[in-house]
Amino acid sequence: MSKELNVPTMAECMAEGKTPDILFWVGSAGSYDDRAKKITKAFVKILNKANVNFAVLGTEESATGDLAKRAGNEFLFQMQAMMNIEVLNMYEVKRIVTCDPHSFNCLKNEYPGLGGVYDVMHHTQFIKELISSGKLDIKESDYKGKQITFHDPCYLGRANSEYNAPREVLSSLHANLVEMKRSKATALCCGAGGAQMFKEPEKGNKDINELRTEDALQTNPEIIATACPYCMTMMSDGVKVKEKEAQIKVLDIAELIASSQNL
Amino acid sequence: MNYLPNIIFAIALLLGLGYFAKNVKKLVRNIKLGQDVDVSDNTSQRWKNMINIALGQSKLVKRPVSGFLHVVVYVGFIIINIEVLEIIIDGLFGTHRIFSSVLPTSVYGFLIGTFEVLAFLVLVAVTVFWVRRNLIKLARFWKDEMKGWPKNDGNFILYFEMVLMTLFLVMNATDGTFQEMQSGNIISQYLAPLFSDSIAPVIERVAWWLHIVGILIFLNYLYFSKHLHILLAFPNVYYGRVNNKGQLNNLASVTAEVKMMMDPNADPFAAAPEGAEDEVPAKFGASDVQDLSWVQLLNAYTCTECGRCTSECPANLTGKKLSPRKIMMDTRDRLEEVGKNIDANNGEFKDDGKQLLGDYITNEEIWACTSCNACVEACPVSIDPLSIIIEMRRYLVMEQSAAPSELNNMMTNIENNGAPWPYNQQDRLNWKNE
């Protein structure tokens, strides 16, 4: 790693009397999962490159409770939510960006009812904004003409009707974007949602991520792009099951943008 | 005795409408067994949804073939029903084609001509539907939950429509005065030569009577059939979801308890406030139909078992037992059972030792869901099977502590260290320096 990442925490900013414009919600996967940590870092590189005045909660961040909620544990969800809201409101957070569509959905839609009202963005929406406002200049990239297919995360797409931001960001790379048969509103889930990530699937005749990987393979991609740490795990595993990991890379949109600009 | 047909007609009409009204009352009572939910918000969005999704069939046409055929049957059904008005007036007052003497021949001919063309198109569409179900055997019509009554029900509806449309055309073809008008008999003129002059008047009367009696029977069949959607789709779409699909409701009963737990000034040994003793402790989540909201129960009655949800469900596509359609069908079956129980016990439900979760829906189905919203997106009439699944998970976790052990581990981790994995919260920012 050439350059050191600049990742201020809210506590540090407060001590220095600074007010960050935006809070980067890293999320549990982005903090602890080895593969997702790379996405986190790629996104920070983008934030640093575009001189975004941001901060993270660091050790003051805790799980949103989204997983507990989807698993049926409303108590645990609301406890997590209220603890987090206390911290967020103490720092007077107005805007939040996150790389995890599940956190995005939960913070955006389920926190307001419990007293946590913020302007919440998914990182693909934020990157799109950086590009269109000229804060992030996308120069010629190695991905020009590459065959890329985008897997819609359920909690970004169907759950919140955001289909364009990730595609617009991808189009800035001048790659050859090919859609899967099931995409956007009819995209197939990767299989991780609803807390499935943390349990064995019920008895069936196939794993969901394998079926979704087959969808992706039909487009003959060089790269499968995702925008969710859980989709990342599922699609990477799917590509491994199909023994295609030598030919096909699974990358988050933040990673594609960061690496295209040699960040 | 000249009035005999009029009297018979009036009695048939009264019986038909009366029995239907009785069942509608039962339907409303059963739906009201559900928990109250506030639906007074977003009125303009709700009307828009009803106009676009229900009236405009915007979601149906996402699948062009079945969507187009459905629009044909739907438009045909609504428009041809104008003719029923004439039939009722004729039947009650002993007139014959009353509108033909009120309206100019050209206008009357145009109306009947339109009905005839639509009737013919409906016949074609319904035949294609039958072929798709029974010869092509589209997978979604042959899933496990479609065996027996649901399969027959689907076909009975098609037969009903075939017979009714045929009777309408035959009735016109055998009506000598109508054929002589030479206006509006676009389709029936080709059928007319099939009937000799001597039997035509008899056939006309028979077809006329069977047609209207058939309509009354069909009307009363609705309550027992998946075909109820022709009425309930409209209110169901109106009361359907208006916020982002990803948003699950926050349980207010939980909020109160969590707030108290987190309040450092709360006295855990404090006596309950006055009047609170009478309150039944809230049940978290749902294990039976009465725990669901009335909108979810309306959803169940509205489901027409088309299976678009199931055909897009990732769990079902990979061979798991979960089928969102089955969740809705089970909910309706159980609600009907509860309704019959209430009827049999003088208006009060007697515990029958059964419930929706366990006796109809298994835990295995509930835990197979990825909460991806594909079923919700696919439903042409805004049914939300996911919300029922989540309510049942809530019951299993908060009332029964019956989550799969891996999920319990995950939740214990969140409780202890604020992440689904057993990592220390103090390590949350370690990625920065790795």
Side-chain angles (χ1 to χ4, degrees):
Chain A
M1 212 174 297
S2 51
K3 267 190 281 177
E4 209 177 302
L5 299 177
N6 178 20
V7 192
T9 63
M10 290 302 279
E12 288 162 8
C13 289
M14 202 180 203
E16 292 167 27
K18 288 192 237 164
T19 316
D21 298 332
I22 190 154
L23 172 82
F24 171 29
W25 184 274
V26 183
S28 298
S31 302
Y32 297 115
D33 180 90
D34 283 335
R35 182 66 189 85
K37 279 192 263 187
K38 292 184 185 166
I39 304 171
T40 306
K41 286 191 208 172
F43 185 55
V44 168
K45 287 176 192 169
I46 295 170
L47 293 173
N48 285 165
K49 169 82 178 170
N51 288 317
V52 176
N53 177 18
F54 78 100
V56 297
L57 282 174
T59 55
E60 289 185 279
E61 187 187 286
S62 188
T64 54
D66 159 78
L67 271 164
K69 192 176 179 77
R70 263 80 203 160
N73 196 337
E74 183 72 7
F75 267 104
L76 184 52
F77 158 68
Q78 292 202 12
M79 294 216 304
Q80 288 298 116
M82 285 189 206
M83 280 190 323
N84 282 322
I85 288 168
E86 234 169 63
V87 175
L88 290 167
N89 288 354
M90 178 191 70
Y91 286 122
E92 294 178 2
V93 168
K94 303 271 180 306
R95 288 187 92 193
I96 300 177
V97 63
T98 177
C99 299
D100 175 4
H102 298 263
S103 295
F104 164 70
N105 176 71
C106 190
L107 292 165
K108 179 181 194 277
N109 297 317
E110 289 158 359
Y111 273 37
L114 299 169
V117 185
Y118 321 102
D119 174 14
V120 187
M121 293 181 97
H122 184 246
H123 72 309
T124 55
Q125 297 173 320
F126 193 73
I127 296 172
K128 183 188 127 185
E129 210 180 84
L130 289 179
I131 295 172
S132 62
S133 65
K135 285 183 187 142
L136 186 68
D137 186 29
I138 302 291
K139 294 185 267 300
E140 273 292 290
S141 81
D142 300 343
Y143 297 111
K144 194 174 171 182
K146 287 245 166 143
Q147 190 103 326
I148 301 183
T149 190
F150 175 66
H151 163 75
D152 287 276
C154 302
Y155 276 86
L156 181 64
R158 260 191 304 272
N160 289 289
S161 307
E162 181 58 89
Y163 305 109
N164 286 331
R167 289 176 171 79
E168 269 183 52
V169 173
L170 282 174
S171 74
S172 73
L173 297 173
H174 300 287
N176 183 21
L177 188 61
V178 274
E179 293 290 352
M180 290 181 235
K181 194 178 67 199
R182 292 186 264 229
S183 71
K184 298 182 182 171
T186 56
L188 186 74
C189 174
C190 70
Q196 297 296 337
M197 175 82 181
F198 294 87
K199 60 183 264 299
E200 284 302 310
E202 275 63 28
K203 211 171 129 278
N205 51 34
K206 193 181 258 186
D207 281 342
I208 295 171
N209 64 330
E210 203 183 325
L211 182 63
R212 186 50 171 168
T213 304
E214 286 167 12
D215 281 3
L217 293 184
Q218 278 176 12
T219 66
N220 288 318
E222 289 163 89
I223 293 161
I224 299 172
T226 69
C228 167
Y230 300 106
C231 296
M232 172 58 73
T233 304
M234 296 312 251
M235 297 307 284
S236 303
D237 286 352
V239 169
K240 263 179 223 150
V241 168
K242 296 285 173 192
E243 297 178 345
K244 293 276 183 197
E245 69 262 49
Q247 300 100 301
I248 300 171
K249 281 190 196 144
V250 186
L251 293 167
D252 190 274
I253 287 186
E255 295 178 299
L256 281 165
I257 293 295
S259 74
S260 78
Q261 304 306 303
N262 299 314
L263 298 176
Chain B
M1 288 305 281
N2 281 346
Y3 293 111
L4 190 60
N6 309 41
I7 292 165
I8 293 173
F9 186 88
I11 290 171
L13 196 63
L14 276 176
L15 281 178
L17 295 178
Y19 190 59
F20 179 66
K22 190 177 155 238
N23 279 330
V24 167
K25 242 177 97 184
K26 207 180 274 180
L27 180 83
V28 171
R29 181 206 62 193
N30 288 354
I31 288 171
K32 281 188 174 165
L33 292 174
Q35 302 288 315
D36 203 13
V37 55
D38 182 24
V39 283
S40 60
D41 57 331
N42 293 294
T43 318
S44 68
Q45 184 59 44
R46 288 178 186 281
W47 281 109
K48 254 185 234 164
N49 287 351
M50 195 166 102
I51 290 165
N52 290 334
I53 301 172
L55 208 61
Q57 314 234 312
S58 59
K59 286 215 151 171
L60 263 152
V61 293
K62 293 244 159 93
R63 295 199 185 179
V65 177
S66 58
F68 172 74
L69 293 169
H70 188 274
V71 170
V72 168
V73 177
Y74 162 74
V75 171
F77 173 82
I78 289 181
I79 295 182
I80 297 170
N81 267 329
I82 300 173
E83 168 71 4
V84 176
L85 190 65
E86 183 181 48
I87 293 176
I88 290 173
I89 297 173
D90 284 349
L92 287 175
F93 301 102
T95 48
H96 185 68
R97 292 191 182 264
I98 178 81
F99 292 166
S100 67
S101 52
V102 181
L103 300 168
T105 308
S106 57
V107 175
Y108 187 77
F110 173 76
L111 275 177
I112 301 289
T114 310
F115 301 158
E116 286 204 351
V117 171
L118 283 169
F120 178 71
L121 290 176
V122 169
L123 257 179
V124 174
V126 167
T127 308
V128 178
F129 279 151
W130 186 89
V131 169
R132 283 161 60 90
R133 266 177 195 267
N134 299 285
L135 298 183
I136 300 175
K137 300 198 177 191
L138 285 186
R140 64 183 158 112
F141 299 124
W142 290 81
K143 296 268 176 188
D144 281 348
E145 67 268 22
M146 295 308 287
K147 286 180 181 139
W149 167 248
K151 176 172 173 277
N152 294 337
D153 185 22
N155 282 329
F156 288 162
I157 293 161
L158 298 178
Y159 299 143
F160 252 117
E161 281 164 359
M162 286 178 199
V163 170
L164 287 178
M165 292 304 114
T166 307
L167 286 170
F168 173 70
L169 292 174
V170 168
M171 172 182 107
N172 286 355
T174 50
D175 187 331
T177 44
F178 172 67
Q179 288 299 326
E180 273 165 31
M181 275 169 64
Q182 289 293 337
S183 172
N185 56 348
I186 301 177
I187 305 287
S188 60
Q189 58 180 307
Y190 300 106
L191 298 174
L194 299 175
F195 305 95
S196 72
D197 286 349
S198 56
I199 64 160
V202 182
I203 302 277
E204 194 273 338
R205 279 296 88 191
V206 171
W208 188 92
W209 276 99
L210 286 179
H211 180 67
I212 186 64
V213 170
I215 286 173
L216 288 173
I217 292 173
F218 197 38
L219 180 72
N220 281 287
Y221 179 73
L222 292 184
Y223 178 72
F224 306 95
S225 161
K226 75 189 191 77
H227 212 50
L228 254 183
H229 81 289
I230 62 171
L231 302 174
L232 297 186
F234 298 92
N236 194 71
V237 168
Y238 181 87
Y239 293 120
R241 177 180 274 282
V242 277
N243 46 19
N244 283 329
K245 283 192 199 71
Q247 181 178 345
L248 295 182
N249 63 335
N250 295 329
L251 285 184
S253 49
V254 170
T255 309
E257 294 208 20
V258 172
K259 277 205 171 132
M260 209 183 74
M261 277 162 61
M262 292 182 69
D263 180 1
N265 300 320
D267 176 3
F269 305 110
E274 201 123 336
E277 287 107 308
D278 305 334
E279 277 178 42
V280 183
K283 177 174 173 178
F284 297 120
S287 64
D288 210 347
V289 285
Q290 297 98 323
D291 307 325
L292 295 170
S293 79
W294 65 262
V295 174
Q296 288 168 318
L297 300 184
L298 173 63
N299 278 187
Y301 272 122
T302 306
C303 176
T304 194
E305 302 165 14
C306 72
R308 290 184 184 210
C309 52
T310 295
S311 73
E312 308 232 341
C313 171
N316 195 277
L317 284 169
T318 52
K320 277 91 179 169
K321 279 201 182 128
L322 173 63
S323 162
R325 169 174 55 189
K326 179 178 174 289
I327 300 287
M328 302 320 299
M329 292 166 71
D330 286 344
T331 303
R332 177 174 176 172
D333 288 348
R334 173 59 182 161
L335 181 54
E336 272 297 298
E337 187 177 57
V338 168
K340 283 186 185 132
N341 179 313
I342 292 173
D343 290 335
N345 295 298
N346 301 319
E348 234 171 282
F349 178 68
K350 252 200 189 152
D351 189 8
D352 58 357
K354 286 206 233 171
Q355 50 177 13
L356 179 59
L357 184 63
D359 294 298
Y360 288 81
I361 300 171
T362 59
N363 294 8
E364 183 180 342
E365 292 162 68
I366 293 302
W367 290 116
C369 173
T370 68
S371 75
C372 76
N373 266 305
C375 55
V376 183
E377 176 72 35
C379 182
V381 290
S382 305
I383 292 169
D384 186 351
L386 173 57
S387 67
I388 297 181
I389 294 171
I390 293 291
E391 286 300 341
M392 295 196 157
R393 284 188 176 184
R394 285 172 172 168
Y395 174 81
L396 286 172
V397 171
M398 292 191 283
E399 295 280 349
Q400 307 252 291
S401 303
S405 59
E406 305 117 298
L407 290 188
N408 278 332
N409 291 340
M410 178 271 284
M411 291 188 282
T412 308
N413 287 331
I414 293 179
E415 261 182 84
N416 292 340
N417 43 273
W421 298 281
Y423 295 123
N424 195 322
Q425 185 157 7
Q426 290 310 310
D427 295 339
R428 248 191 196 258
L429 199 51
N430 288 5
W431 55 267
K432 179 178 144 184
N433 302 314
E434 278 170 10

